[in-house]
Amino acid sequence: MILAELVFIPCLSAQTVQFPALEPDPRALEFARRGDYSWRDIGEIALWASSIGTQGASNEAAQAELIRNTVAELLAMPDLPMDAKGRGEFVLTFVHQRFLKGYVENQTRLDEVFRTGRYNCVSSAVLYAVFAAAAGLDVSGVMTKDHAFITVNTGAESIDVETTNPMGFDPGNRREFHDGFGKLTGYAYVPARNYRDRTSISQLELVSLILTNRISELERRNRFAEAVPLAINRAAFLRDRRNPVSSPFFTDPQRDLIDRLLNYGSALMKSGQEATALQWAALASNRYPDDDRWQEFIYAALNNLLVKLVRAQRIADARNTLDANTSILSRDNFNRLEALVLDAELVQRSEAVRTAEEAQAVLLALDTARSRGAINEGRAKELRNFIILKEGERLSSAEGSLAAIRYTDAAIARYGRDSQLESAIRIYRNNRLAELHNAFADLYNNGDYDGAARVIRAALEEFPGNRNLTQDLNLVERALKSR
């Protein structure tokens, strides 16, 4: 779905906001094009993923040189085993002695490992993958629900490497690993036989977990704008994978990107910046379309904005905002928001009714809205009764209860029996009886018995058999006979 630019009336203009960049870093695209990745590539990409968006980016070259120099040192060590299994264990010991000093659950960045020695499962796995590949080993990543580690393929077997533990080489066969692992990281190692609980991933996908973890940490701290560029870059450099992993443990980069875009927009909404959130949707959805999810977001943002305007009694602003953005809404979502605004307009018009003509115009508008399904029958009845009762009260005050009775009777004849309207008629009838009795009493008390008799006989034609009126008639007839 390509959205037209959203339009707002001046009083609803979005605040001036510097939105996150929507284009990936050119290096992400260049990394995606490389295809075959050497240990140097993985190291370079890992440093980039660790430092992009931070002040540490200027140290990438120095840290890349540190990797190259340390690899040269490793390969020159005289006790480096020749066999793959021995070499894999040697590399694990080496990286722990040289770099890995303290486990910190959220420390996923490789550059931070070099600066402080702090690491978690992802940063230690990436570090091991770089040095193991440099040592000629065939390595790949492994993911579980909340953990990552490495597998070394020796040709004869695949050996797991739990990189958070210096004794984590082939952890399924080491007692000392099982004794210390849980206390070290708080995670549980998932052995190879539990294949449903683990997923093999490429080295590139392993590196992407640096960005995944950084994104999660930023969003946990409500820094949604900073998470957006990381998600864009993750999607960019993973886009050309030859055999992309499909696993519940590995988030799809494209879907994950939309999640991050929507999360940032939702954060704008939660801070009361609905108009800004809608401008963000217009920008981001054009660059990264997803019809259903963006439509859901746009509906929510417009709904929040319209509700806010309606509650502030800015009904005209609400109508202008909806009309200006009709083209970006699905038909169903427009109808739902139209019902919201139309309801507010009808309430406003109902409350403003002062004349019979105005009452009739609003009733016709209600009938039209109900017939096309813009409001349901229950709401139409509620508003209709409000108008009819209001007009009945006006007529009662201006012209007397008889006018109110006739008007309300005609409304019941048109719209059907209704207990609320029928109750109003009973009140009007009682008021009418009081009016007729008072008119009779004024004439009677002034000695105009003929006039009083005419009034009360006419009243009995209107209310035949009424006890109080009959008593009034008897009273005036006795007075006439006694003259």
Side-chain angles (χ1 to χ4, degrees), residues 54-93:
T54 74
Q55 295 180 348
S58 60
N59 296 320
E60 278 187 55
Q63 291 178 341
E65 184 177 4
L66 173 62
I67 292 175
R68 291 192 297 270
N69 292 340
T70 308
V71 164
E73 180 184 345
L74 170 66
L75 297 181
M77 296 182 77
D79 51 348
L80 179 64
M82 296 298 296
D83 66 290
K85 186 172 183 179
R87 184 166 287 214
E89 186 168 10
F90 186 92
V91 171
L92 180 63
T93 301

Side-chain angles (χ1 to χ4, degrees), residues 72 429 471:
R429 288 183 185 280
Q471 290 175 346

Side-chain angles (χ1 to χ4, degrees), residues 347-404:
V347 169
Q348 187 179 61
R349 290 181 65 185
S350 300
E351 292 173 343
V353 164
R354 297 291 183 271
T355 67
E357 291 76 14
E358 291 173 348
Q360 181 62 19
V362 179
L363 288 173
L364 287 174
L366 266 174
D367 290 345
T368 300
R370 181 187 58 78
S371 65
R372 64 185 178 88
I375 60 173
N376 61 42
E377 175 56 33
R379 182 58 172 162
K381 180 179 178 181
E382 182 181 357
L383 292 174
R384 186 168 58 229
N385 283 1
F386 174 81
I387 296 165
I388 293 169
L389 292 173
K390 185 175 183 179
E391 176 62 7
E393 288 298 319
R394 188 193 68 80
L395 288 169
S396 180
S397 297
E399 303 177 25
S401 298
L402 181 59

Side-chain angles (χ1 to χ4, degrees), residues 331-346:
R331 173 50 53 184
D332 287 345
N333 283 343
F334 172 80
N335 288 340
R336 292 161 69 188
L337 295 177
E338 161 72 1
L340 168 67
V341 175
L342 181 60
D343 186 280
E345 289 173 330
L346 290 169

Side-chain angles (χ1 to χ4, degrees), residues 236-298:
F237 92 84
L238 288 177
R239 68 179 189 178
D240 293 332
R241 291 172 294 160
R242 294 178 182 175
N243 297 298
V245 64
S246 177
S247 166
F249 305 138
F250 189 88
T251 57
D252 175 73
Q254 294 300 326
R255 181 171 181 81
D256 182 70
L257 169 55
I258 301 297
D259 287 341
R260 309 287 73 79
L261 300 174
L262 292 171
N263 284 355
Y264 171 60
S266 296
L268 291 172
M269 276 199 285
K270 288 178 182 178
S271 66
Q273 300 181 69
E274 291 87 358
T276 303
L278 285 164
Q279 289 193 341
W280 168 247
L283 290 172
S285 64
N286 282 335
R287 181 64 180 83
Y288 301 102
D290 186 319
D291 289 3
D292 292 341
R293 300 180 74 198
W294 279 117
Q295 183 62 212
E296 181 181 356
F297 174 84
I298 289 165

